[in-house]
Amino acid sequence: DIQMTQSPSTLSASVGDRVTITCRASQTIGSWLAWYQQKPGKAPKVLIYKASSLKSGVPLRFSGSGSGTEFTLTISSLQPDDFASYYCQRYNGDSETFGQGTKLEIK
Amino acid sequence: EVQLVETGGGLIHPGGSLRLSCAASGFTVSNNYMSWVRQAPGKGLEWVSVIYSGGRTYYADSVKGRFSISRDSSNNTLYLQMNSLRAEDTAVYYCATSPNDGNWGQGTLVTVSS
């Protein structure tokens, strides 16, 4: 099975910072990667699909890039609402593994 | 408007069985990729199973042979049959469409405990 390794597991940052989260696949997955945001007690929300496509309604400060085995989620200028957990997921295959998650905390 | 509503969770003894349902509205389940994802208390997201529009199904190794995903066109509902339940299956279970569409239900809690 393809493994997804996400880093860092915790990230401390301030409002206005630019932050990047990385996700690495153990084998090439093309562009079949999604990024999610999750807040406590809520279902995850898709931010990015197909590695770099922004889901309708998601703020433009979120962006995704990469293909093959290396992917990144970037938040250009952190807002108070962005402090949450983030997950990558490989999909459209025979195992649709999530990364371990990144908890974005206020510094 | 697309809506997904999961039901069927609850408290079950180890070794027991449970069937989760995910009632969909606003789109046709049988024409779409649908998956189940779970989240144990305080843990990350874990993919459980997927069914593609053509009927192919796949399972995580942790549930293979114990869980079965299916769908019913007549009531536009996705199911997850869970057998031989273990304490480590305790989690909130979500149904979801493809990330390309990005629709999730609110989740249903399954607690496996004696």
Side-chain angles (χ1 to χ4, degrees):
Chain A
D1 286 357
I2 295 176
Q3 306 303 314
M4 305 301 295
T5 303
Q6 189 176 335
S7 61
S9 55
T10 307
L11 181 56
S12 295
S14 302
V15 172
D17 284 354
R18 178 185 180 90
V19 299
T20 298
I21 299 169
T22 298
C23 188
R24 290 187 174 87
S26 60
Q27 300 173 42
T28 183
I29 59 171
S31 295
W32 295 111
L33 187 99
W35 289 98
Y36 297 85
Q37 177 192 69
Q38 188 182 31
K39 296 184 177 178
K42 300 292 187 182
K45 170 187 165 184
V46 171
L47 302 172
I48 303 286
Y49 62 97
K50 287 185 186 173
S52 60
S53 295
L54 189 69
K55 183 84 171 65
S56 176
V58 174
L60 293 175
R61 61 182 180 273
F62 291 93
S63 64
S65 64
S67 65
T69 61
E70 292 255 346
F71 303 88
T72 58
L73 172 70
T74 299
I75 309 173
S76 61
S77 178
L78 274 173
Q79 299 303 301
D81 191 50
D82 299 339
F83 292 95
S85 294
Y86 293 84
Y87 297 89
C88 64
Q89 184 198 18
R90 174 257 177 153
Y91 67 103
N92 206 40
D94 57 1
S95 67
E96 314 226 324
T97 319
F98 286 89
Q100 303 93 320
T102 296
K103 186 174 183 180
L104 181 52
E105 300 177 332
I106 301 174
K107 186 184 285 185
Chain B
E1 181 193 3
V2 170
Q3 192 172 13
L4 298 169
V5 178
E6 301 98 334
T7 56
L11 175 63
I12 187 79
H13 293 311
S17 297
L18 210 54
R19 188 177 81 159
L20 305 182
S21 300
C22 170
S25 56
F27 72 102
T28 302
V29 165
S30 59
N31 292 344
N32 282 272
Y33 153 144
M34 297 291 298
S35 63
W36 287 97
V37 174
R38 68 185 181 183
Q39 188 168 36
K43 303 296 185 183
L45 300 172
E46 181 186 14
W47 170 74
V48 173
S49 181
V50 65
I51 184 167
Y52 288 93
S53 56
R56 281 180 299 146
T57 59
Y58 298 101
Y59 299 90
D61 287 344
S62 58
V63 307
K64 204 171 291 183
R66 300 188 299 124
F67 289 14
S68 177
I69 190 171
S70 64
R71 62 196 179 195
D72 186 338
S73 303
S74 64
N75 57 18
N76 209 33
T77 298
L78 177 74
Y79 298 102
L80 185 68
Q81 178 67 42
M82 305 187 295
N83 300 328
S84 303
L85 282 161
R86 307 167 179 166
E88 54 265 35
D89 296 318
T90 294
V92 174
Y93 285 73
Y94 297 99
C95 62
T97 61
S98 166
N100 296 350
D101 303 306
N103 301 294
W104 287 59
Q106 83 289 349
T108 186
L109 176 63
V110 173
T111 303
V112 184
S113 174
S114 53

